[in-house]
Amino acid sequence: MTSAAGPALSGTVAPHQDQPRFGLIKSGNLESSQVERVGMAHRLKLMLVAAAIVPGLVACGGSTSGNPTASTSSAPVTLFDPCTGIPDDALIAAGIKPSTEESGIAGVHQSGWEICAWDGPKYGITVFSTGRTMSEFENKPGNVQFQDVTIASRKGRQFRIEGASHDLMCDVAFPAAQGAVTIKLSNHASLDNPEEPCGLLRRVGESIVPTLPN
């Protein structure tokens, strides 16, 4: 699923390093052109990470690109759609801008997943909804540093994804009746001193987690 625990899709996916409109919010005296460059760089980063997370969870009996796979014999489930299921006030409270919403990976829907991403001045948030299980996230190579966390009174599993963006991103996966829902926080790489992503995710997730399915 994210990043490892954040989603891991399967099949061919467009790189998801940065959400398309991510980072386009003006901050301080930044000129719009500068902000756009930040957004584009962030989008590329998120596209790559999402591609690493999402792929692999769909193949049968194994893993693709280091991601867990799900059995093709499972009955289809109706997945929670974070783009329609998370209200704007929860996003604003989390410090991100609802108007930056992007569904899928680079706007492309991924089979077996419902993915939605938003951006803010300092970080972006991506929510991955899937029928994959928590054990698939935990067994996916590349997903590391798992630990129990509680956000908004809900227990989940925090983890990181190995790679160049390890220090900028953090994921938390929550078990759900459908399978799992994962939240990924991605600091903008352009920041000089970004806040530690896992602590930041636990804090801003207080407004988003209550809107997720059980």
Side-chain angles (χ1 to χ4, degrees), residues 168-180:
L168 293 174
M169 301 182 182
C170 187
D171 296 81
V172 174
F174 299 94
Q178 66 173 35

Side-chain angles (χ1 to χ4, degrees), residues 39-64:
M40 183 62 74
H42 182 58
R43 180 188 182 189
L44 292 175
K45 177 185 68 180
L46 293 180
M47 288 170 68
L48 294 180
V49 171
I53 294 172
V54 174
L57 282 186
V58 245
C60 178
S63 66
T64 300

